Amino acid sequence: MAGFDLRQIDRRVIFTLIFVVVAWPLLRPMRLPMDVTPPVQRLYEAVEAVPPGSIVMLAGDYSPDTMPELQPMVISFVRHAFRRDLKIVTTSLWANSPPLIEDALAPLAAEFGKTYGVDFVNLGYMAGGTVTLLGMGASIPNTFPQDYYGTPVAGLPLMREVTNFDDIALVMNVSSGTPGTREWVQQVQGRYRVRLASGTTAVAAPPFYPYVQSGQLVGLLGGLKGAAEYEMLVDAPGDAVRGMDAQSIVHALIVFFILLGNVAYFAERRAQRARGGAAQREVTA
Amino acid sequence: MNWLQELFTGAPGTPPSAVWGTWVAGLLTLAIYSFLYKDNPVYRFAESLFVGVGAAYWLAILYHNTLVPKLFVPLFFPPEGQPVLWYRVFPGVLAAFMLLRFFPKLSWLSRWSLGFVVGMYAAVNTTGFAQGDLVAQIHATVTTPLTSGGGLVIALNAAAIVGVIATLIYFFFSKEHRGPVGAAARLGIWFLMVAFGASFGYTVMGRVSLLIGRMTFLLRDWLHLMQ
Amino acid sequence: MRREIPLAITFLAGMFMLVDFFVPHHRVSAAGEELKQWGTIVIAASILLGIGNLIRVHSKKIARRQSGWGFSLVCLSVMAVMLWFGMWPGAKLGPNPLVGSIAQGSYFNWMYLNMDVPLQGTMFSLLAFFIASAAYRAFRLRSPEASLLLISAIVVMLGRVPLGQLLTKGLPEKATLPWLTEAIMTYPNMAAFRGILMGAALGVMAMGLRIILGIERSYLGGEK
């Protein structure tokens, strides 16, 4: 009898299922409960520990492909910093980041009544990766002589307070690859004794746990879950929290697929053994 | 009717350029997803747009954010009261040499620029990896607390130290993996497998998050179906 | 001389950066800082090289009417339009120009946010579909090692989402999926990646010194 072969499920069936289980919880939210993990809690506390009026750096090294995971982190960090009356200087080693950071900064600056050049500055992109990081260690204004819009930094009041990393109370690096958190740890954290926090994609997060354990990172947000936890801590649930229902259901579906694939695998192995055994008996006979 | 109106005019107060933008983004998103059915001309059109827009973006940003402030302004338009940084001619020349790669007869000159960049990065990486990774990680391993945090935490910390050593043995002992070395290397593999499994779990999470992001855009920002 | 001069430049640039790291003298630091600014400029040129290559490949395709040349035309046309929006000297158009500017509200920014962002985002989100399909087809309990990988993956996949919290609600804390996930990440995962970090560091350091000393020359390409 030709039964239903589990191995032959068309990939388009899997695609359709994935599509449906992502869309459904977005349209009908379930609001599943969620706790905060220690690396996220520590990051929140590190920002809380920065005295009001200090300058923090938001180093955005990401591109649009990872925006769903990282943009909520940027938004929550900016909200957190503005709420605590911290001043923000943003830099990018990735060309794609500055407009995305600008997109997060503009509405929040309006909400908190912050002024460009006084309370925050977007220094834009600078090529060079690790060499740029070392340049900033010597002089941030010489490494970024103009901001993202082409204004000389000497004309921006906030930048008159910044020479190098000595003037930065905390760096929040939001990164999705290289150059990113690893380079910030290697070149900046150790050499200039900077307090460094990281928000990164889920793909990049596991290799950064040694940095959390060693204290080189004061906190770590890993993927959408990390972003969602941070949104909850700053009391402003947004896209990350909203996405966690869908994330839960898709993960359950993928685990189901893995188990199904293994059931098919073992069934096939058993059938093969049975066939082999029968053939063996025939030969012996 | 309200929904239909919102679809074409956006929420109250939305400028027309934003509504247009959302429609362009929505249609391009669908064009890319059409690949899931099969490769087709609509997908390839969107793919070509992606490459073109991406390259133009990089070029303009490089010009405005790096070449203008670092090379053109210091050399040709120094701010009032500041001297011309004449020595920026050298990186300017090296940058020009890099572009000579396009001309076969002169492409050998691009090796000068390449040599400069490679030399710098070799040194920067050597010191960075040594200080930031090697020394700091050895320090963190040997100072792992083994007397505080309760029995379970102490056991887990001890296991982590064993795991670091076992992983290193697996990777670095050129001696044949037999006897005690073999046992340690096998333990190293187990630690690696657990780590790679966790990485796989995280990778699934990341990929799914990207899809959630695009679906949120389609269902909320474009089609106004989400609250 | 076509190899000696680049090797000498590599040696000098590398050695100077090493000296800059170890010698905290202000003259060395000042020279080191300027050298780093040079680095950003030359790196920018290497990125230009990549974009120039892209233009060359597509131009050739159009000139020779190779299959798919229409798509190359689309690519170069949209590139030209966006470059015009982004780089046309905009000073004559007022303080906040729509053309010649990259700031919020400019045409260039509009194209980036409404074309590049969704295209790039969607392109990478396709991977969600493929990883689901791959998990179904490739993840098999073939050996004890594969079992460890699979168990760890499943615990983390469930423990990193609210569903995992819900599924093991009521169990002792240390038996819940979120706790197990955090334990996997903090101990075995951390240990394995620490080993990899240390190993990679040794490898990079060895390679860095080989490059600076001119032992490793493959980056210079062929003999000519």
Side-chain angles (χ1 to χ4, degrees), chain B:
Chain B
M1 193 57 206
N2 269 347
W3 170 76
L4 203 61
Q5 200 177 356
E6 212 171 294
L7 196 60
F8 291 102
T9 59
T14 312
S17 65
V19 179
W20 273 99
T22 308
W23 269 86
V24 169
L27 293 173
L28 289 176
T29 303
L30 293 187
I32 297 288
Y33 279 146
S34 70
F35 181 77
L36 288 170
Y37 183 68
K38 63 177 186 183
D39 199 356
N40 65 79
V42 175
Y43 168 77
R44 293 194 61 196
F45 172 79
E47 193 188 29
S48 309
L49 277 186
F50 169 47
V51 176
V53 171
Y57 176 81
W58 268 86
L59 206 54
I61 288 282
L62 267 181
Y63 170 75
H64 285 291
N65 274 192
T66 299
L67 294 175
V68 167
K70 281 285 173 71
L71 190 63
F72 302 144
V73 167
L75 270 179
F76 307 118
F77 317 102
E80 260 188 51
Q82 285 187 25
V84 172
L85 302 184
W86 59 269
Y87 39 81
R88 291 277 165 101
V89 166
F90 294 114
V93 168
L94 284 176
F97 279 8
M98 188 71 97
L99 299 177
L100 288 178
R101 227 179 162 77
F102 289 125
F103 305 97
K105 280 190 179 161
L106 293 171
S107 67
W108 60 274
L109 279 168
S110 68
R111 287 178 182 166
W112 293 26
S113 325
L114 201 63
F116 177 73
V117 171
V118 169
M120 264 186 111
Y121 276 88
V124 167
N125 280 337
T126 301
T127 51
F129 272 84
Q131 186 181 32
D133 279 2
L134 191 63
V135 175
Q137 293 301 315
I138 291 173
H139 181 260
T141 308
V142 298
T143 55
T144 303
L146 289 176
T147 50
S148 59
L152 183 62
V153 171
I154 291 171
L156 287 168
N157 274 332
I161 295 172
V162 171
V164 173
I165 297 165
T167 309
L168 283 170
I169 288 174
Y170 169 70
F171 274 124
F172 289 104
F173 265 70
S174 50
K175 192 168 178 267
E176 200 178 349
H177 287 178
R178 275 190 186 172
V181 174
R186 194 164 172 81
L187 188 64
I189 294 177
W190 290 353
F191 271 89
L192 285 167
M193 286 300 141
V194 173
F196 291 156
S199 282
F200 178 81
Y202 264 65
T203 303
V204 168
M205 184 166 92
R207 302 305 184 218
V208 171
S209 304
L210 306 187
L211 178 61
I212 292 170
R214 288 325 292 160
M215 292 292 274
T216 304
F217 165 77
L218 286 177
L219 298 174
R220 184 186 60 192
D221 304 345
W222 186 33
L223 298 174
H224 300 273
L225 292 173
M226 264 172 77
Q227 287 161 359

Side-chain angles (χ1 to χ4, degrees), chain A residues 181-215:
Chain A
T181 296
R182 171 155 298 162
E183 286 66 29
W184 275 91
V185 169
Q186 288 173 344
Q187 306 295 346
V188 177
Q189 189 277 329
R191 193 161 173 178
Y192 304 105
R193 298 287 148 206
V194 169
R195 283 174 69 74
L196 178 66
S198 167
T200 183
T201 58
V203 177
F208 294 152
Y209 272 77
Y211 295 143
V212 177
Q213 195 272 346
S214 63

